[in-house]
Amino acid sequence: MTHKVLVLGAGYAGLVAAKRCARQVRSNEVSVTLVTAIPDFVERPRLHQLATGQAIESVPVARYLRKTSVRLVIGSVVGIDLDARTVTTVQAGEPHVMPYNTLVYALGSNIDVESVPGVATHAWSLVGSGAASQVCTRLQVLAQRKGRVAVCGGGLTGIEIATEVAESFPDLQVTLVSNARPGAWLSPKAQAYVTRTFETLGVATRSGGRVQEVHADELELDDGGRVPFELCLWAGGFRVPKLARASGLAVDNQDRAHVDSNLESVSHPGVYVIGDAAAVAGAWGSELAMGCRTGGLTGPKAADVIAARLTGREPGRFRYRYIHECISLGRRHGLIQFLHADESPKRSILTGRKAIAYKNATLNGAKVLFRHPGPVLARRRHFISNGKSAKGPSQYRLPK
Ligand SMILES: Cc1cc2nc3c(=O)[nH]c(=O)nc-3n(C[C@H](O)[C@H](O)[C@H](O)COP(=O)(O)OP(=O)(O)OC[C@H]3O[C@@H](n4cnc5c(N)ncnc54)[C@H](O)[C@@H]3O)c2cc1C
């Protein structure tokens, strides 16, 4: 009987995991199915470009899967039964129960619009290409009357949105609001560059107070301050779906699943959790941050572990480290902050248009990985039965 590998989510982690796993096994022995809610791959690090009227490429997931044995299912995952080993999806309005032997959970994260009151009602977030296009229309209308835009969140996403909006719509009054100084984690040289770029683009900053509530036309801060706006863009952190917790997987207080060094759930063998949905320990101890690179590292690793275990081989060691943080500040200014192995900032940075080119190359590199997730020639397609000769049947750890 065919062993069923079910991959949930076709983002930076899941797409690569599905393709790379399929390349290493025989399709008559192992079927790989990828389930995702949206037919197109959404390049989220470019959504702020879409929100400011720039065209960004949208590639159907099906195109990335051409000439592979991966079966694509467009549907929303609404439930996981870890005891029965089934996943319930809604496809074209109809519920479907999909059995699996091995599960890869890669449902990612999105901007948290629930933790602060008023965000879901009065603020806009770049949660997808539809939302980004609607924000674009609003920005265009608001620019005609030189309106005020409040961007909430001094992390990477907030900084990128504020600068992109200010550069594309110089008539708008853009204020970046955050509890800490925007980019406070960067090296002093990098922080100085960000501050200079804010001045050049006319981005005002308001830091020190945490947004307590978003009202229809102003932010209420916990230091008593109020920031008026005509449009509020929310970038106050990411949140992962509650599905992992609801299904009974062991999760942390952010609902990210606890996994071991092979990315397997510590509570449920045979379930692998990758990308933003997983709380993966970093080499230096703390967790890997959410980001595309985490998907790009954990997706291939999970595929290799699953393929190795199915074919009686030992998974290799998980090697990873982050080397940079790529930040766009509009289309003329960019910042690459190089990192030490523990993710603390090095002194060295790259700025200006060179940094923009570097970031573009990095984002395009991810798309190369989607097309060619390795192993290079797919020549190591192993039979499950071949595993017997490698280590002996007792070495298998096939999920039931
Ligand atoms: C505006 C914005 C800007 C960003 N900029 C950067 C940046 O510059 N650099 C960076 O490193 N990171 C950036 N990020 C974060 C980055 O996009 C994520 O960390 C990354 O996408 C996570 O990859 P993932 O594969 O874990 O999950 P995702 O990319 O979130 O993929 C999850 C997949 O699961 C699908 N899915 C989710 N729920 C369901 C469901 N119930 N049923 C079926 N399918 C479902 C989704 O449609 C998607 O295909 C940004 C995020 C946003 C929102």
Side-chain angles (χ1 to χ4, degrees):
M1 215 170 78
T2 313
H3 182 97
K4 295 182 181 65
V5 177
L6 190 55
V7 182
L8 308 181
Y12 284 87
L15 179 53
V16 173
K19 275 186 85 168
R20 188 172 168 108
C21 182
R23 282 171 74 84
Q24 297 181 69
V25 291
R26 302 274 167 172
S27 56
N28 58 339
E29 294 188 331
V30 179
S31 69
V32 180
T33 304
L34 178 60
V35 183
T36 196
I38 302 168
D40 286 347
F41 179 82
V42 178
E43 211 181 346
R44 294 201 312 196
R46 292 196 190 275
L47 283 179
H48 54 277
Q49 292 178 245
L50 189 61
T52 51
Q54 300 164 52
I56 66 169
E57 192 190 19
S58 169
V59 180
V61 175
R63 196 185 302 165
Y64 283 124
L65 297 180
R66 266 187 211 154
K67 296 188 184 166
T68 74
S69 58
V70 179
R71 186 168 82 92
L72 177 64
V73 171
I74 303 299
S76 287
V77 179
V78 293
I80 302 172
D81 186 331
L82 295 166
D83 296 325
R85 292 182 184 267
T86 58
V87 168
T88 304
T89 60
V90 175
Q91 301 167 31
E94 294 292 322
H96 286 260
V97 176
M98 304 176 74
Y100 67 83
N101 300 104
T102 298
L103 185 68
V104 181
Y105 182 102
L107 294 183
S109 68
N110 218 322
I111 293 177
D112 178 6
V113 296
E114 288 169 22
S115 299
V116 174
V119 172
T121 322
H122 301 301
W124 286 84
S125 294
L126 304 184
V127 291
S129 39
S133 300
Q134 286 180 304
V135 166
C136 182
T137 308
R138 279 165 174 75
L139 286 170
Q140 284 164 344
V141 172
L142 195 58
Q144 288 167 9
R145 49 190 169 98
K146 302 186 190 318
R148 291 166 298 189
V149 178
V151 179
C152 300
L156 198 138
T157 309
I159 291 173
E160 291 197 331
I161 294 172
T163 46
E164 198 80 45
V165 169
E167 185 186 83
S168 298
F169 299 99
D171 287 338
L172 289 171
Q173 303 167 56
V174 179
T175 304
L176 181 58
V177 183
S178 66
N179 56 333
R181 183 180 169 180
W185 73 94
L186 298 165
S187 67
K189 207 166 138 192
Q191 286 187 38
Y193 180 76
V194 171
T195 304
R196 279 202 308 279
T197 307
F198 283 167
E199 284 164 12
T200 306
L201 297 176
V203 176
T205 55
R206 167 68 164 89
S207 46
R210 186 178 287 274
V211 178
Q212 216 163 241
E213 186 163 354
V214 180
H215 298 282
D217 54 4
E218 66 174 8
L219 303 171
E220 181 185 335
L221 308 185
D222 65 0
D223 61 3
R226 304 233 161 204
V227 178
F229 63 78
E230 274 87 43
L231 183 71
C232 175
L233 298 176
W234 187 260
F238 294 129
R239 189 177 191 129
V240 306
K242 294 192 186 300
L243 207 56
R245 175 183 289 277
S247 68
L249 282 178
V251 295
D252 66 8
N253 57 10
Q254 285 186 285
D255 294 339
R256 295 176 94 188
H258 288 298
V259 291
D260 64 16
S261 59
N262 282 316
L263 307 173
E264 191 171 24
S265 158
V266 295
S267 58
H268 290 80
V271 177
Y272 296 81
V273 188
I274 53 177
D276 285 359
V280 185
W284 55 94
S286 63
E287 267 168 30
L288 299 190
M290 293 190 197
C292 305
R293 58 200 176 175
T294 303
L297 291 170
T298 56
K301 170 65 184 172
D304 292 353
V305 171
I306 293 166
R309 286 178 167 172
L310 283 173
T311 54
R313 292 171 292 132
E314 280 299 312
R317 245 185 82 218
F318 187 21
R319 290 168 185 276
Y320 55 88
R321 67 154 290 193
Y322 294 153
I323 56 166
H324 57 213
E325 188 79 81
C326 304
I327 308 167
S328 66
L329 304 165
R331 293 302 98 198
R332 297 191 298 270
H333 305 83
L335 171 66
I336 308 300
Q337 171 69 73
F338 294 100
L339 301 173
H340 293 289
D342 66 353
E343 277 205 84
S344 61
K346 286 185 175 179
R347 274 172 60 84
S348 49
I349 59 170
L350 189 67
T351 58
R353 289 186 193 269
K354 281 186 191 154
I356 290 291
Y358 187 111
K359 174 152 190 173
N360 281 334
T362 307
L363 292 177
N364 292 337
K367 288 194 271 185
V368 173
L369 185 67
F370 298 154
R371 288 190 198 99
H372 310 286
V376 178
L377 296 174
R379 63 185 182 279
R380 285 159 63 91
R381 280 206 183 148
H382 297 270
F383 287 102
I384 289 182
S385 50
N386 275 357
K388 286 178 191 162
S389 57
K391 290 274 177 188
S394 61
Q395 298 291 321
Y396 294 178
R397 214 165 57 83
L398 293 182
K400 287 176 204 132

